[in-house]
Amino acid sequence: MALSDLNQVERNEEGIAAVLGILKQRLGERFQTGQAIRSQHAHTTTYIPTQAPDGVAFVETTAEVQEIVSACAAHRVPVIAFGVGSSLEGHTNAPGGGISVDTSRMNRILAVNPQDLDCTVEAGVTREDLNRHLRDTGLFFPIDPGANASLGGMAATRASGTNAVRYGTMRENVLSLTAVMADGQTVTTGKRAKKSSAGYDLTRLLIGSEGTLGIITSLTLKLQGIPQAISGGVCPFPSVEAACNAVIATIQMGIPVARIELVNALQMRAMKSYSKLDYPESPCLFVEFHGSDAGVAEQAETFGAIAEEYGGGPFLWTSVAEERTKLWKARHDAYWSSLTLRPGAKGLSTDVCVPISRFAECVTETEADIAEMGLVAPIVGHAGDGNFHVLVLMDVDDPKEIAQTEEFVARLNMRAIGMDGTCTGEHGIGQGKVGFLRHELGHGVDIMRTIKQALDPLNIMNPGKILPAAK
């Protein structure tokens, strides 16, 4: 996590100059080298320093991505994929300079197959755009990380979000994809069949690879039917531990909850003020059920009974779409509401994930850490799958606060790993968590490095991310 852990990537000035000339001639105004646009295509969401690329290419076809990667390979220049820039761990930084490949203009929905419940889209299509396009088909794409992220970026970081407890993550919802590899060649990793045992699972190899093996240019995705009925609401609890235990009981009883989100008391205070909610300033669970009219009513009533056993309630739920939308808008605005807790501070968002049986213990110990260290750090969590986020508010110009935050995050990561969990449930490794991967996976890091060297021997694909520097 420490800045000293950020991999240094040597700049190839001669190669960069050559590629800048080639791409300017090839792409014209769709290749930009101005400082402002280059900075916008680097990491700006936390205190990790911005490391801008040398140029930004606005691509429109897979063939153009091939040309760019081939030129970069010929001159040994880094190439960094860019979706909408919503990643949180320095994924889009260019520590050795190079070319940012912006896929936002690759925004075509190529095919929708309603009978098969799947679709094929270009990498720059965002999840909200896709769901607007699907509205009249009765289908939707369920992965919702909060930000209106590009689907290519969501696959590259193995994103998930609030619906993961019912519908899974990007790993479970991508049938196949097309990517441009480090040699400029394309690979399509599968067909539209719902299952296959044909060779190595290249789809899952590229999902979560953060652009270090190839640049995703299109994806075939699973779709879901829009539920007949949806119910949801908010349930307060006397403590975070009680709320977490209610989550564990709900999951273990097999209630098909679609979303079950933890908000601690500090986060609830911020959300009440920012989103004008009328709920107690205490730990709460935001819950949603999908199904038939009778089914969602029964599930809501059963959850309410479970919550009562742990001292929670009353559970006020509704099937009115406008009321539910207000609640989930407040949940998705948690980041912005948190910033009001310490005006002028910047937020470092970090996440971990543990087995559901250890969830209460991990969150409770983390709250104790926050109190002991005197931090302002609200917690939200995708509680149904044991994943939670902490947003540490800090003065990024104060080295002492940065060091304290890094110590807190390190303790949190190691706590999760010690509970047989992971240092990142959905944010990815990028630069920010490079220092913890070996603690989690051991020799697995060496296997990853072997794969990286085989597929990208020149180390041009988003170098300095995921893998710690070789010693």
Side-chain angles (χ1 to χ4, degrees):
M1 178 66 197
L3 295 181
S4 57
D5 290 334
L6 299 188
N7 285 349
Q8 299 300 311
V9 179
E10 186 176 348
R11 284 183 61 86
N12 175 6
E13 299 291 356
E14 184 177 342
I16 290 171
V19 169
L20 291 178
I22 292 169
L23 297 184
K24 187 62 178 176
Q25 184 175 16
R26 172 64 180 84
L27 297 173
E29 291 303 309
R30 290 193 290 116
F31 184 67
Q32 297 289 321
T33 56
Q35 179 63 48
I37 203 161
R38 290 191 293 115
S39 295
Q40 290 167 7
H41 283 74
H43 184 78
T44 59
T45 52
T46 74
Y47 80 102
I48 295 176
T50 295
Q51 297 168 309
D54 293 283
V56 179
F58 292 89
V59 295
E60 296 180 350
T61 65
T62 295
E64 287 183 347
V65 179
Q66 287 184 275
E67 288 185 56
I68 293 167
V69 173
S70 295
C72 288
H75 295 277
R76 298 198 172 201
V77 171
V79 56
I80 303 101
F82 185 93
V84 299
S86 58
S87 56
L88 295 167
E89 293 291 351
H91 298 87
T92 59
N93 260 345
I99 306 303
S100 175
V101 177
D102 185 312
T103 62
S104 60
R105 299 189 186 187
M106 296 185 69
N107 58 4
R108 290 171 285 270
I109 296 171
L110 302 175
V112 176
N113 306 294
Q115 292 179 317
D116 295 321
L117 277 73
D118 69 47
C119 68
T120 300
V121 302
E122 290 185 323
V125 175
T126 67
R127 65 174 187 86
E128 290 183 4
D129 286 343
L130 176 59
N131 280 327
R132 274 192 290 269
H133 182 87
L134 294 171
R135 192 177 300 153
D136 293 338
T137 68
L139 303 174
F140 79 114
F141 183 68
I143 309 306
D144 178 5
N148 186 25
S150 69
L151 292 160
M154 288 169 62
T157 55
R158 202 184 299 133
S160 52
T162 58
N163 281 323
V165 63
R166 180 181 178 101
Y167 298 105
T169 71
M170 287 299 286
R171 181 182 63 189
E172 292 80 35
N173 286 277
V174 178
L175 290 170
S176 69
L177 52 81
T178 297
V180 176
M181 307 304 286
D183 60 0
Q185 298 295 309
T186 62
V187 60
T188 299
T189 62
K191 303 297 185 180
R192 290 196 299 117
K194 287 297 188 288
K195 62 180 181 179
S196 171
S197 58
Y200 298 147
D201 193 342
L202 298 180
T203 304
R204 271 81 202 163
L205 176 63
L206 290 172
I207 294 172
S209 63
E210 302 181 12
T212 62
L213 302 179
I215 297 179
I216 297 169
T217 59
S218 69
L219 313 90
T220 297
L221 305 168
K222 293 180 182 178
L223 302 176
Q224 302 287 336
I226 295 174
Q228 173 193 341
I230 300 175
S231 70
V234 176
C235 186
F237 285 84
S239 67
V240 162
E241 185 175 12
C244 292
N245 285 328
V247 171
I248 294 170
T250 301
I251 299 301
Q252 290 178 342
M253 282 187 65
I255 298 173
V257 61
R259 307 194 220 191
I260 184 162
E261 298 284 296
L262 171 70
V263 173
N264 79 342
L266 182 60
Q267 182 66 73
M268 200 64 197
R269 181 199 309 169
M271 291 169 66
K272 280 188 64 176
S273 173
Y274 186 85
S275 299
K276 306 298 187 286
L277 297 182
D278 186 22
Y279 290 98
E281 199 171 290
S282 66
C284 290
L285 292 177
F286 284 53
V287 189
E288 188 169 276
F289 305 95
H290 296 177
S292 65
D293 289 321
V296 297
E298 180 182 5
Q299 292 158 20
E301 291 168 3
T302 303
F303 171 77
I306 292 172
E308 189 176 353
E309 289 182 21
Y310 290 93
F315 176 44
L316 303 176
W317 61 276
T318 179
S319 294
V320 178
E322 292 78 11
E323 294 178 12
R324 288 188 295 98
T325 298
K326 181 181 179 181
L327 293 179
W328 289 108
K329 179 68 164 61
R331 168 60 185 88
H332 285 320
D333 284 345
Y335 175 84
W336 304 109
S337 68
S338 296
L339 296 181
T340 66
L341 294 170
R342 190 179 176 189
K346 200 164 187 178
L348 175 107
S349 181
T350 189
D351 84 308
V352 296
C353 188
V354 295
I356 190 70
S357 61
R358 306 296 298 272
F359 185 64
E361 179 184 2
C362 193
V363 175
T364 301
E365 289 186 14
T366 300
E367 278 209 319
D369 250 8
I370 291 169
E372 178 187 331
M373 301 178 78
L375 300 173
V376 179
I379 293 175
V380 298
H382 310 314
D385 45 22
N387 181 204
F388 68 95
H389 305 254
V390 184
L391 186 73
V392 185
L393 299 170
M394 63 176 176
D395 180 353
V396 296
D397 296 320
D398 185 338
K400 290 183 179 179
E401 286 201 22
I402 290 176
Q404 184 183 43
T405 299
E406 290 178 344
E407 179 187 352
F408 166 77
V409 173
R411 287 164 65 170
L412 173 60
N413 290 340
M414 295 306 293
R415 176 180 301 117
I417 292 169
M419 292 181 176
D420 211 14
T422 174
C423 66
T424 174
E426 58 186 13
H427 288 183
I429 295 295
Q431 292 175 310
K433 294 201 173 183
V434 163
F436 301 98
L437 195 59
R438 188 171 291 278
H439 289 289
E440 183 171 326
L441 298 177
H443 180 54
V445 173
D446 302 313
I447 304 300
M448 290 183 187
R449 194 186 306 282
T450 300
I451 294 170
K452 168 74 168 171
Q453 290 172 343
L455 297 180
D456 180 20
L458 301 179
N459 193 30
I460 65 167
M461 306 301 290
N462 206 11
K465 316 297 168 57
I466 298 184
L467 297 172
K471 296 181 180 180

